[in-house]
Amino acid sequence: MIKGLYEVHLPVHDLQRSIEFYRNLGLQLAYEYEDIAFLWIVPNKTWLGLWKTDISRDREPASFPGNGRHLAFEVDFDDIKKASIWLTEKGITLRSHSGLEPLEPIARPHQQNVSIYFDDPDGNALELMCNLPDGSPTEPSKMMYLSQLEKLIQK
């Protein structure tokens, strides 16, 4: 029955600033109203709703990223390796996750995926995420840098 994700909604303080931030990431503006905007992540398939509200940008670092305000964008495995540079060139600061500094993509062999983490202007936790290639090891069951996993594969 369920085939995927259609929409995600996030609270934002400055709607225009947030629209520009997400357009800079490649999303396409679909609709804009006085206090709400919808941007296509995948045109006619998946979109992001931004709701202008008086929100706090404060978060507890030890809590779930963004206090539940979290969105993971799917990317290709080949692109995740370039994502740090791509985001940095756009003036976006990467952030640590689970004690790992934002030096490179973070792999989770046990979940078969890789991620890079950053925030939007309102402190909503964002992630670029992809699956590991078929045949990747499923151990160890801890997070590690992608380069560490690649060294395990080469052994």
Side-chain angles (χ1 to χ4, degrees):
M1 168 113 17
I2 296 175
K3 296 182 179 180
L5 178 67
Y6 190 90
E7 65 184 1
V8 171
H9 295 269
L10 295 175
V12 300
H13 181 73
D14 182 329
L15 187 60
Q16 291 305 310
R17 177 185 66 182
S18 294
I19 289 170
E20 289 309 310
F21 176 85
Y22 286 99
R23 288 180 75 183
N24 191 31
L25 290 177
L27 278 63
Q28 299 171 10
L29 183 63
Y31 303 100
E32 182 180 353
Y33 305 100
E34 184 177 338
D35 293 333
I36 306 164
F38 295 93
L39 294 99
W40 288 116
I41 299 168
V42 177
N44 300 312
K45 185 174 180 183
T46 308
W47 69 12
L48 169 64
L50 301 175
W51 295 72
K52 183 178 177 188
T53 184
D54 188 19
I55 60 168
S56 170
R57 293 181 57 174
D58 296 333
R59 305 188 290 163
E60 291 294 323
S63 68
F64 182 79
N67 291 332
R69 299 184 330 240
H70 172 77
L71 171 61
F73 294 105
E74 179 184 4
V75 297
D76 290 329
F77 181 74
D78 290 338
D79 289 336
I80 199 81
K81 293 181 176 186
K82 301 177 260 182
S84 296
I85 294 169
W86 182 73
L87 290 166
T88 302
E89 287 174 349
K90 293 182 174 300
I92 297 171
T93 302
L94 304 178
R95 67 174 173 78
S96 61
H97 182 74
S98 296
L100 294 172
E101 292 302 314
L103 306 173
E104 62 177 280
I106 298 170
R108 286 174 292 278
H110 58 292
Q111 293 181 359
Q112 289 290 284
N113 57 44
V114 181
S115 299
I116 288 183
Y117 300 88
F118 57 106
D119 292 332
D120 78 358
D122 290 288
N124 295 306
L126 304 179
E127 178 180 1
L128 299 179
M129 186 175 198
C130 68
N131 290 327
L132 286 168
D134 289 341
S136 294
T138 59
E139 295 292 331
S141 61
K142 66 175 187 170
M143 289 189 228
M144 62 180 57
Y145 292 115
L146 182 56
S147 63
Q148 292 173 302
L149 179 63
E150 289 173 330
K151 285 178 186 174
L152 289 175
I153 293 171
Q154 293 173 0
K155 287 184 180 181

